[in-house]
Amino acid sequence: MTSIDLNADLGEGMGTDEDLLRIVSSASIACGGHAGDAPTIRHILKACKARGVRAGAHPGYADPKRFGRFRVVMPLDQLLGQIRSQLFLVRFIADEVGVPLAYVKLHGALANQTAEELAFAVGIFATIQAMDPQVAALALDNSQQVRAAKAVGMPLIREAYADRAYTPQGLLVPRNQPDAVIDDIDAVIERCVRLAKSGEIVAIDGSVFKSTARSICLHGDTPGAVDLASELRDALEGEGIAIAADPPEVAL
């Protein structure tokens, strides 16, 4: 049976974490940068353990006022220090709760920047890989994140986005552009089923590109996120597609 992972960004103060954890197979947990703190991290990790949901860390720029969605100019060492601090926090709590951290998924502006800039992405992923050689990168498929993860030897989980428009090059349309976020549930379901069954994504200009992503991101801060996640899961399962967090590609 074909399977695909549903992952959601959690711990961001949206009040939907418990509901989404009943639907998704992976949880990307905000760890004190753009959102999240020790109590929220602990709560979500315990819920992941109880429900058998794969847990991952979701670090970003330490800029909670702007939700980590704007690029911040700073020395690289300072940025790497922010990422290390977030990962130390979530890993400490995960060890305490007894939940393995399976992957790291970058958030917001940090994710977009690493998707576009290979050298920058290599520096970020090398730092993460040095902290934990076993942790995987949940990376935007067809982006520089994938190339960087491979370059530093990280296990890889290729990701696509349910509710974000794509450029013809396979990157996300910036949120400040029209139609960057897709809020039509039927349209989201159609594109996710097409990805799962055919490995295709339709870009914002109507062109089609290939993707081997086997994890679909559902944003917890999208209006109607729980209804969207529930209907998407039902639709995928109705097409004979199982929802499961499959193992990552192993680094060679």
Side-chain angles (χ1 to χ4, degrees), residues 120-175:
F120 182 71
V122 167
I124 301 297
F125 282 151
T127 295
I128 295 169
Q129 198 268 348
M131 294 179 66
D132 185 350
Q134 305 303 317
V135 74
L138 182 56
L140 179 65
D141 195 28
N142 294 315
S143 78
Q144 301 292 11
Q145 288 185 355
V146 170
R147 298 173 184 90
K150 288 184 172 183
V152 304
M154 291 183 75
L156 177 64
I157 305 166
R158 298 171 187 262
E159 180 184 39
Y161 284 73
D163 59 355
R164 292 294 309 280
Y166 278 83
T167 70
Q169 293 74 36
L171 299 178
L172 299 181
V173 173
R175 282 181 175 266

Side-chain angles (χ1 to χ4, degrees), residues 69-70 112 164 172-181:
R69 286 192 169 145
F70 292 82
N112 292 335
R164 292 294 309 280
L172 299 181
V173 173
R175 282 181 175 266
N176 60 1
Q177 293 187 15
D179 302 319
V181 178

Side-chain angles (χ1 to χ4, degrees), residues 91-116:
R91 189 169 64 181
F92 177 83
I93 299 171
D95 289 344
E96 182 184 82
V97 174
V99 177
L101 281 178
Y103 65 86
V104 174
K105 173 186 172 178
L106 302 177
H107 169 78
L110 184 60
N112 292 335
Q113 193 168 353
T114 52
E116 297 169 11

Side-chain angles (χ1 to χ4, degrees), residues 19 22 37 41 83 117 169 184 202 250:
D19 291 328
R22 296 186 183 96
D37 55 23
I41 294 168
I83 294 169
E117 301 175 19
Q169 293 74 36
D184 183 310
V202 180
V250 178

